[in-house]
Amino acid sequence: MNTTNQAELFQPGCVLKICAPMVRYSKLAFRMLVRKYDCDLCFTPMIIAADFVRSVKARDSEFTTSKADRPLIVQFAAKDPLILANAATMVAPFANGIDLNCGCPQRWAVSDGYGACLINKPELVRDMVRQVRNQVCIPKFSTSIKIRIHRDIRATVDLCRKAESAGVSWITVHGRTTEERHQPVHYDAIKTVKESVSIPVVANGDIRSLRDVEDIHLLTGVDGVMAARGLLANPAMFAGSEDTPLECVWDWVDVAMKHGTPFTCFHHHLMYMMEKITSQQEKKVFNSLSSTAGVIDYLLENYSVCR
């Protein structure tokens, strides 16, 4: 059940450290890993709300959690207020809030009416937020949105103010436009959003170290920061580690085995985590391994000193 509300999550003078919603990667096992290393809040991967409401199979495969997996936000892709509210009602007993994805730039999502196209539909976003707030009768349950910015920041501010008027709990701003991928993050735009609303704002984009967390907090005044690729490369980033500690590698082996993580996911996480601590030759050998047993044997042979 919900034991944490928005006011308890965001404390004045502090910056909330958040694990972003990542397709295939921010699942239960990885969430439990980053929580061991000072991550304050975790998101599920994006879930299509219509599929989730319609299909028991989708619910079973897309959403897994545990009592220790808190606080937790379930992110949905949606374009219909009632469907989003129904999905929120289903997860409300098992999470602390839901988030509406208004930032995914992938072509399939935008063409289907999901993700980043919603930043150009502020009235629809407002209606979806309002429907969730009206239908989920749990006082501590939050409703947030994650957006990208417009080329004209005034349109972004208008979107955020409409969402705020509908009762949105907080807003995460990825500081790039829908068309931008690896261009520099527009932290000035995030700062403008923060100064334009009275609810908490979270910054997202190119956060790869604890120093980045502190610098962006000072630069923009945001209440939280959200990391994706930075945490994939170093799940201990929020705890201040510059590179993935070997202890964290073995913690991943333990937690992945406990949760029955499929081999491909288990292996890919380790590829990301060991990128900076292995030589090119070691990468070539490690990346070619094809079984969980083979990976563990390799780690025991080469990195067992920490074990």
Side-chain angles (χ1 to χ4, degrees):
M1 287 295 291
N2 301 289
T3 59
T4 306
N5 63 19
Q6 167 199 329
E8 293 166 339
L9 281 174
F10 295 98
Q11 295 293 332
C14 298
V15 57
L16 199 72
K17 300 184 289 293
I18 305 171
C19 178
M22 293 177 280
V23 175
R24 295 184 298 276
Y25 291 119
S26 53
K27 295 190 175 182
L28 175 59
F30 187 69
R31 298 196 300 265
M32 297 309 296
L33 177 68
V34 296
R35 290 184 192 280
K36 290 173 65 72
Y37 291 91
D38 292 355
C39 183
D40 300 315
L41 175 66
C42 292
F43 276 53
T44 69
M46 182 183 74
I47 300 169
I48 305 295
D51 294 343
F52 191 82
V53 170
R54 180 174 57 246
S55 167
V56 173
K57 183 178 179 180
R59 293 196 287 276
D60 290 343
S61 64
E62 296 294 328
F63 180 57
T64 305
T65 186
S66 68
K67 290 183 178 179
D69 184 30
R70 301 289 186 275
L72 177 67
I73 304 298
V74 182
Q75 191 186 68
F76 286 112
K79 55 186 177 182
D80 179 276
L82 184 58
I83 289 175
L84 178 62
N86 288 342
T89 301
M90 289 177 172
V91 301
F94 312 104
N96 299 90
I98 64 104
D99 183 81
L100 173 63
N101 186 311
C102 303
C104 179
Q106 293 186 43
R107 190 173 301 170
W108 72 265
V110 173
S111 64
D112 285 351
Y114 299 126
C117 72
L118 291 174
I119 66 172
N120 297 314
K121 301 177 181 179
E123 289 79 15
L124 176 57
V125 172
R126 179 194 60 201
D127 292 345
M128 285 195 279
V129 170
R130 186 173 291 157
Q131 185 73 34
V132 174
R133 301 299 281 176
N134 290 340
Q135 190 163 318
V136 179
C137 300
I138 299 176
K140 292 185 177 183
F141 194 79
S142 66
T143 304
S144 56
I145 61 173
K146 184 174 185 291
I147 67 170
R148 282 184 173 243
I149 60 171
H150 301 79
R151 291 191 180 278
D152 183 348
I153 192 61
R154 291 174 297 182
T156 309
V157 169
D158 177 66
L159 166 68
C160 293
R161 285 176 171 167
K162 281 185 168 67
E164 182 180 20
S165 71
V168 79
S169 304
W170 77 85
I171 299 170
T172 300
V173 183
H174 182 96
R176 293 185 175 97
T177 67
T178 303
E179 296 75 29
E180 292 174 328
R181 293 296 184 271
H182 304 294
Q183 291 89 336
V185 175
H186 301 283
Y187 293 114
D188 56 333
I190 298 176
K191 182 179 181 181
T192 297
V193 171
K194 172 58 186 171
E195 293 173 345
S196 301
V197 297
S198 58
I199 53 175
V201 172
V202 172
N204 176 227
D206 285 1
I207 295 162
R208 300 182 184 276
S209 69
L210 187 59
R211 174 60 63 88
D212 289 342
V213 172
E214 296 163 350
D215 289 347
I216 292 164
H217 174 53
L218 290 173
L219 179 65
T220 63
V222 292
D223 308 275
V225 295
M226 177 184 285
R229 286 176 293 182
L231 280 178
L232 280 182
N234 178 12
M237 179 186 77
F238 285 148
S241 297
E242 292 297 321
D243 298 313
T244 306
L246 289 182
E247 178 185 3
C248 183
V249 172
W250 282 110
D251 280 341
W252 170 244
V253 172
D254 289 341
V255 74
M257 294 304 97
K258 177 182 177 181
H259 290 91
T261 304
F263 171 72
T264 299
C265 182
F266 169 67
H267 194 202
H268 282 184
H269 271 294
L270 286 170
M271 289 181 193
Y272 281 115
M273 292 164 63
M274 299 176 69
E275 175 70 24
K276 291 185 178 180
I277 61 175
T278 52
S279 67
Q280 285 301 117
Q281 182 58 33
E282 288 171 331
K283 287 184 183 67
K284 187 175 180 180
V285 173
F286 184 78
N287 293 355
S288 69
L289 297 173
S290 58
S291 70
T292 298
V295 167
I296 293 175
D297 286 345
Y298 180 91
L299 293 174
L300 286 170
E301 183 177 342
N302 294 277
Y303 300 102
S304 60
V305 62
C306 183
R307 196 61 165 174

